[in-house]
């Protein structure tokens, strides 16, 4: 029986990244740990560690460098926003009117 080329064909594979900005648990955890660091140097080193870990994950998954950069930027923007939220949590505009 003759083999048909259709059965030898495999479709191209595309890796779709789960958006880093949607990793709410990781974002909150990272923001809390960054804020708990005693010095700017410790926070910078922690940021380096998280960035390295995320890059290794994306590289292993076959994500392009451009996509890695976009995802990292979005992640760190979300972490920054979370740190601001945590800093001002509980404060109400206009002071305490009680």
């Amino acid at each position: 029986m003759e083999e048909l080329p259709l059965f030898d064909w495999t479709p191209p594979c595309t890796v779709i990244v789960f958006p880093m900005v949607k990793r709410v648990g990781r974002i909150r955890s990272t923001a809390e740990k960054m804020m708990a660091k005693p010095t700017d140097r410790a926070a910078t080193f922690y940021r380096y560690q998280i960035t390295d870990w995320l890059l290794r994950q994306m590289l292993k998954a076959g994500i392009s460098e451009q996509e890695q950069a976009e995802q990292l930027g979005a992640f760190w923007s979300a972490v920054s926003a979370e740190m601001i939220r945590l800093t001002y949590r509980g404060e109400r505009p206009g002071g305490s009117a009680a």
Side-chain angles (χ1 to χ4, degrees), residues 20-39 42-54 57 71-87:
M20 291 286 182
V21 76
K22 301 292 184 185
R23 297 175 123 187
V24 177
R26 172 64 59 192
I27 290 166
R28 286 182 179 159
S29 171
T30 302
E32 289 169 357
K33 289 176 183 172
M34 289 278 289
M35 292 177 70
K37 297 298 177 192
T39 64
T44 300
F45 184 71
Y46 180 69
R47 181 183 175 112
Y48 170 80
Q49 287 178 314
I50 294 298
T51 298
D52 185 57
W53 176 74
L54 291 171
Q57 274 191 332
Q71 292 295 323
L72 275 175
F75 176 80
W76 285 114
S77 291
V79 169
S80 178
E82 179 66 12
M83 289 171 67
I84 291 168
R85 189 189 72 77
L86 289 171
T87 300

Side-chain angles (χ1 to χ4, degrees), residues 50-70:
I50 294 298
T51 298
D52 185 57
W53 176 74
L54 291 171
L55 284 172
R56 286 177 190 265
Q57 274 191 332
M58 289 188 282
L59 184 64
K60 189 175 178 181
I63 308 303
S64 71
E65 286 186 29
Q66 179 182 353
E67 183 71 16
Q68 289 177 27
E70 290 173 13

